[in-house]
Amino acid sequence: MNHRDHSKLICDISELTTLFTDTGNLDSLLQKIVEMIALHMNADVCSVYLYYDESDELVLKATRGLQADSIGRVRLKLGEGLTGKALQELRPVCEGDARAHPSFRLFTGIGEERFCSFLAVPILRGQNRIGVMTLQSERKDHFTAEDVNIFRAVTSQLANTIEMAKLLMSIEKPSASEQKTAPRVSSLKFVKGRSGAEGFAMGEAVVVALPSLDDMAFAGGDQPLTLADLHGAVLKTEQQLEALQREIETKLFDVASLIFSAQILMLKDQAMLGAMEALIAGGDLPQAAVRRVVAQYVARFDKMPNAFLREKRYDVIDVGRRLLENLVGARSVERQYSGKIVIARELLPSDALKLSTQGVLGVVLLSGGVTSHVAVLARSLNIPLIIADEEGLLSLSPRAVILLDGEQGNLYVDPDQAVVKTFRDKEDLRKDSVKFRRNVKDRTVTRDGTAVHILANINLLGDLAVAKDYKAEGVGLYRTEFPFIVRSDFPTEEEQYVIYRKLVEAMKGRPITFRTLDIGGDKVLSYYDYAKEANPFLGLRSIRFSLRHKDIFAQQIRAILRAGVISPVRLMFPMIGSLDDLYAARAVVGECAAQLSAAGIPHLSSPEIGVMIELPSAVEMADELAREAAFFSVGTNDLVQYILAVDRTNEKVADLYVPHHPSVLRALKRVADAAIRHRKDISICGDMAHHPRYMAFLLGIGVRSLSLDARYIPKVQERILSIDIPSARKAAASLLECSSLSAVEKELALEYPLA
Ligand code: PEP
Ligand code: MG
């Protein structure tokens, strides 16, 4: 076994990004991948095979260590040899002496005879077979169990990139012609929406719901550009994208992934560039050639059978725009998202990440709720976001200027000077008050001296800096699913461990509560083949998913327990509905700890285990759950949704989503009583925890711990300082007596008048 620091390649996107530099085309990219991995894994051979459904064949596409002329010649059927077996069975195959294995298939004339140890891992996106990566060594028993884990992790990080390369390599020469649709123009002036992430922004609107090739049409006019100009623009575009990819790595280590790789690969694709060159040779101007080829590629992607691949049309358009910008000069085509306000029907979390890196000022969505996960992410990324169900926004004129008021959820189109001035003043005030508010105190106490613990919700590791800035006492909710959402496959245990370790190290011993994977609902994974669900929020979501996929669950638990060695962490399970759920999930933790012990891997053997109270069934079972669990954390975002049967992401019923509905208040009281009776901690980690108007009620029913987006800490702390516990108890008692929403609202207004 070598002593190279394998973990460097895991999640070290900047290292992987270097793959793209100096790579001339897609073949040479694959070659660079195998060179890099062979070096890091201390292997004599590293090869990549791509799998083609149509012929049911794996084809060797790049190798370091086997003879170069074997590339393209070595072909294996699915299940054939150890390589084919790894792909057929969708699992790694590791042999200390492969030649002795009955499935081994020796190819003569490629220099394979002298290698003994063999390791193959499938390259997958979910269950989609993309190919196989193999390692070989002359030494017997060279690859260890740890090598298998590392190799899987690295391969999983590269899977998206390899899939995209494969797709581009196999794309036929397109023939579609440019499409043109007349732009529709809307005459909206003001839209009342709802705030998803606070802040103000003003800039030109870009509608991305229907990204249009027309936007590219005006670029460049008839400037007499040449082939050399095109080559210059390609180079510049590549450099810009590589720089963006590096930038996202420093800002967003945990979710950076290789999210610009699809665009970089398109530029490396000789077929795409070749098609542009051929048009130029035939007399087209380069700017026209770019537009035509991009349109042809978009048409090709639109025909893809798989939704994930169809989405790549946006990447093609992005690349086309950037290329034109560099070709015709920045004055003719402006930067696409920098300084702009994006309007979209909906966005994926990975889109929000991209937009943030590209300098977007604000986002307007037509659908989704304020507690939807894109909104949660926008807050972490500091992008003001509003949700406004107004179709006319999708047809705003391309030059319309929007003023977005993320505080009130309002949107002004081409605002007049007076409106702009009001907002500039407000923004100045806000900046001042942010500075002022940073004078938060280390500890939060009520007016009569009762301590209230304020912890932070962390979605991205980048939130940690904000949490520290605002003096959060720890992390009350770490939403572990975000690194899962942007990847191409479930992150391996090693990948997760690297991320979790960073979090634990950064918190330097302060308490951290890990919430286990909470996907499903509005958090869908591109690589998981969900059986179509009519009601995803009532479907295979959250702990139900984890318990149905114990292998994925166990990988996460092991990674958390390993990170818990640095300093103890707490674990909690989302969407628990019964004691049985808790027992089943807890049993997995026990099994994982036993596995780690047996393997001699240092870990935290018995973390405190709590449950999230998010379901009406959990409210009913609160007493028993409180007896069994170490603590409660109330996820009010879901609790409200499920008690009131109001979809938290459906803008059309947003007015019915009311956290202070009497039924919710009474449920919270029952849950708090149960926790207190059993002397267990109870904390609130949904959005109710950051609304000053609910503070008196929450303290009044006995809550002493809150976990919230750290940006709200100053406001919440300020409110708590003004409350004394006896009056909070009285306020809570009056609210609990209210039998109607209107009565609750009257009481609340008396207690904490809204401005
Ligand atoms: C909640 O439901 O309130 C919660 C904190 O979890 P999430 O918003 O991630 O569903
Ligand atoms: Mg929840």
Side-chain angles (χ1 to χ4, degrees):
M1 177 49 214
N2 63 89
H3 297 289
R4 188 175 288 277
D5 180 9
H6 286 330
S7 65
K8 247 197 100 26
L9 267 181
I10 299 179
C11 295
D12 197 340
I13 305 298
S14 57
E15 176 119 21
L16 295 180
T17 311
T18 61
L19 285 171
F20 299 119
T21 27
D22 307 328
T23 294
N25 55 36
L26 301 176
D27 294 310
S28 69
L29 171 85
L30 294 181
Q31 190 58 35
K32 257 183 118 173
I33 288 178
V34 293
E35 303 276 352
M36 176 188 240
I37 295 182
L39 181 75
H40 270 272
M41 303 293 297
N42 194 20
D44 298 317
V45 179
C46 178
S47 310
V48 62
Y49 295 78
L50 295 183
Y51 175 67
Y52 297 91
D53 276 323
E54 322 77 71
S55 54
D56 186 27
E57 258 183 348
L58 275 161
V59 182
L60 179 66
K61 284 291 184 181
T63 181
R64 139 80 218 256
L66 299 180
Q67 284 174 17
D69 65 357
S70 52
I71 293 174
R73 268 199 309 130
V74 176
R75 289 165 183 264
L76 293 159
K77 288 282 176 202
L78 186 65
E80 187 183 353
L82 294 172
T83 306
K85 184 177 159 78
L87 192 62
Q88 184 175 44
E89 297 177 8
L90 303 177
R91 64 173 185 89
V93 170
C94 184
E95 289 299 327
D97 187 358
R99 292 167 309 182
H101 194 281
S103 296
F104 183 66
R105 160 108 162 74
L106 178 74
F107 279 91
T108 43
I110 63 169
E112 206 179 15
E113 295 77 1
R114 60 183 198 280
F115 302 114
C116 301
S117 298
F118 178 94
L119 170 56
V121 300
I123 310 168
L124 306 170
R125 189 169 48 74
Q127 299 291 100
N128 283 350
R129 295 181 163 98
I130 299 164
V132 178
M133 192 100 80
T134 61
L135 294 177
Q136 290 172 274
S137 166
E138 285 186 18
R139 267 159 295 167
K140 269 196 187 172
D141 301 320
H142 179 65
F143 301 114
T144 62
E146 191 201 349
D147 288 335
V148 177
N149 285 340
I150 305 282
F151 192 35
R152 279 179 69 186
V154 174
T155 303
S156 120
Q157 291 194 117
L158 288 169
N160 244 343
T161 308
I162 295 175
E163 181 183 35
M164 195 62 204
K166 176 183 156 192
L167 185 76
L168 288 169
M169 284 164 136
S170 63
I171 225 162
E172 288 168 33
K173 261 205 152 113
S175 60
S177 57
E178 283 181 56
Q179 307 155 349
K180 275 198 173 17
T181 45
R184 296 166 295 146
V185 175
S186 137
S187 57
L188 282 175
K189 283 302 288 174
F190 172 78
V191 179
K192 175 88 197 123
R194 298 184 333 116
S195 164
E198 294 190 359
F200 302 113
M202 190 164 102
E204 256 180 36
V206 192
V207 177
V208 302
L210 301 166
S212 154
L213 288 165
D214 290 339
D215 293 1
M216 306 198 325
F218 62 88
D222 297 330
Q223 284 185 57
L225 298 168
T226 63
L227 183 62
D229 293 323
L230 176 68
H231 289 157
V234 168
L235 190 66
K236 194 164 171 200
T237 309
E238 268 176 25
Q239 287 165 347
Q240 285 170 347
L241 289 169
E242 284 161 12
L244 271 180
Q245 181 66 58
R246 276 193 295 273
E247 192 184 317
I248 198 168
E249 149 73 358
T250 36
K251 266 214 252 169
L252 299 164
F253 162 84
D254 45 342
V255 282
S257 191
L258 284 170
I259 67 173
F260 286 100
S261 71
Q263 297 190 24
I264 298 174
L265 293 184
M266 284 170 195
L267 286 169
K268 306 273 183 203
D269 178 13
Q270 296 298 302
M272 186 184 248
L273 188 60
M276 292 174 189
E277 289 169 346
L279 288 173
I280 296 168
D284 275 12
L285 283 171
Q287 54 273 47
V290 170
R291 288 197 302 267
R292 277 179 63 181
V293 172
V294 167
Q296 290 163 356
Y297 267 74
V298 168
R300 294 280 311 163
F301 278 102
D302 282 349
K303 286 196 205 118
M304 297 276 166
N306 172 316
F308 174 80
L309 297 177
R310 275 199 302 279
E311 294 273 315
K312 297 288 169 204
R313 76 184 318 267
Y314 304 123
D315 282 314
V316 187
I317 295 176
D318 269 7
V319 164
R321 284 179 175 156
R322 203 174 272 280
L323 199 51
L324 280 176
E325 175 185 321
N326 289 323
L327 183 63
V328 303
R331 268 173 301 142
S332 310
V333 186
E334 274 141 56
R335 280 297 299 274
Q336 199 185 331
Y337 299 123
S338 173
K340 301 277 169 77
I341 304 224
V342 159
I343 302 178
R345 189 176 292 286
E346 58 187 346
L347 281 183
L348 298 171
S350 55
D351 295 327
L353 286 173
K354 266 192 208 163
L355 290 173
S356 135
T357 320
Q358 290 166 298
V360 74
L361 283 184
V363 170
V364 183
L365 294 181
L366 268 72
S367 61
V370 294
T371 63
S372 72
H373 288 92
V374 171
V376 166
L377 189 61
R379 282 182 227 151
S380 290
L381 295 168
N382 240 335
I383 308 173
L385 176 143
I386 70 171
I387 297 152
D389 182 16
E390 171 53 68
E391 285 290 321
L393 287 170
L394 296 178
S395 45
L396 282 179
S397 78
R399 300 272 160 191
V401 169
I402 284 190
L403 195 159
L404 186 155
D405 173 3
E407 226 95 288
Q408 298 300 320
N410 293 339
L411 183 154
Y412 303 80
V413 182
D414 292 326
D416 59 32
Q417 282 313 307
V419 175
V420 174
K421 165 124 188 30
T422 314
F423 278 94
R424 291 224 192 285
D425 293 348
K426 265 188 159 184
E427 178 64 354
D428 289 346
L429 251 179
R430 204 177 76 94
K431 281 189 187 141
D432 280 354
S433 71
V434 166
K435 263 187 256 149
F436 167 75
R437 284 168 178 177
R438 288 199 181 189
N439 295 331
V440 280
K441 302 185 172 32
D442 291 336
R443 299 271 167 253
T444 307
V445 282
T446 58
R447 206 169 59 194
D448 54 337
T450 301
V452 178
H453 301 288
I454 303 192
L455 297 99
N457 288 352
I458 300 291
N459 308 318
L460 304 175
L461 290 188
D463 294 330
L464 280 172
V466 189
K468 281 188 182 161
D469 229 14
Y470 287 104
K471 300 183 181 155
E473 292 177 38
V475 174
L477 164 67
Y478 173 44
R479 290 184 165 102
T480 55
E481 52 278 359
F482 285 102
F484 282 73
I485 290 174
V486 294
R487 281 180 164 63
S488 59
D489 199 354
F490 290 99
T492 62
E493 180 181 323
E494 290 304 318
E495 277 179 88
Q496 294 177 65
Y497 170 62
V498 171
I499 295 170
Y500 303 159
R501 197 178 59 192
K502 279 217 170 188
L503 172 69
V504 179
E505 282 168 354
M507 288 311 286
K508 299 197 166 74
R510 274 178 285 172
I512 303 177
T513 303
F514 277 77
R515 191 260 299 276
T516 62
L517 196 55
D518 183 26
I519 51 166
D522 63 340
K523 286 179 279 196
V524 285
L525 305 176
S526 68
Y527 47 88
Y528 178 74
D529 198 8
Y530 292 89
K532 190 148 179 51
E533 293 183 307
N535 297 298
F537 274 108
L538 303 183
L540 194 62
R541 192 192 154 192
S542 207
I543 195 69
R544 300 173 182 175
F545 178 94
S546 299
L547 291 174
R548 195 70 68 83
H549 297 282
K550 291 229 174 97
D551 49 336
I552 294 166
F553 191 33
Q555 283 186 29
Q556 173 171 53
I557 300 285
R558 282 195 302 263
I560 298 173
L561 295 181
R562 287 169 59 192
V565 169
I566 302 160
S567 69
V569 299
R570 307 201 302 179
L571 263 180
M572 68 182 178
F573 306 122
M575 245 186 123
I576 290 289
S578 64
L579 274 178
D580 311 82
D581 287 346
L582 173 60
Y583 293 151
R586 220 161 49 179
V588 176
V589 179
E591 284 156 24
C592 288
Q595 286 161 5
L596 290 168
S597 297
I601 299 172
H603 63 283
L604 171 68
S605 55
S606 42
E608 278 191 25
I609 295 180
V611 296
M612 287 191 76
I613 304 289
E614 310 190 272
L615 301 183
S617 51
V619 175
E620 286 298 325
M621 303 303 296
D623 209 55
E624 286 89 336
L625 287 170
R627 195 186 63 222
E628 288 293 319
F631 61 93
F632 276 177
S633 184
V634 188
T636 52
N637 301 339
D638 278 313
L639 187 64
V640 172
Q641 144 165 285
Y642 291 122
I643 289 187
L644 301 181
V646 178
D647 179 348
R648 67 191 263 192
T649 67
N650 184 347
E651 179 58 18
K652 302 220 172 357
V653 287
D655 57 328
L656 302 177
Y657 185 94
V658 188
H660 51 267
H661 190 286
S663 59
V664 177
L665 300 184
R666 291 176 192 188
L668 289 172
K669 165 82 168 126
R670 284 179 61 195
V671 171
D673 284 350
I676 293 164
R677 212 166 20 251
H678 291 275
R679 297 178 197 284
K680 301 289 168 69
D681 263 8
I682 171 167
S683 121
I684 309 290
C685 66
D687 285 7
M688 267 184 105
H690 73 227
H691 287 293
R693 66 183 322 204
Y694 299 136
M695 270 325 113
F697 174 78
L698 295 175
L699 299 190
I701 60 171
V703 170
R704 298 290 178 265
S705 169
L706 302 164
S707 187
L708 42 115
D709 180 337
R711 291 168 189 83
Y712 295 102
I713 291 180
K715 253 195 327 204
V716 168
Q717 187 177 66
E718 195 183 334
R719 173 72 184 129
I720 293 174
L721 295 176
S722 73
I723 294 176
D724 68 73
I725 296 295
S727 3
R729 285 207 185 102
K730 268 195 218 134
S734 319
L735 284 169
L736 288 164
E737 273 174 22
C738 297
S739 339
S740 68
L741 193 54
S742 50
V744 171
E745 285 177 350
K746 235 194 240 157
E747 283 287 331
L748 270 181
L750 284 179
E751 174 62 27
Y752 185 71
L754 283 181

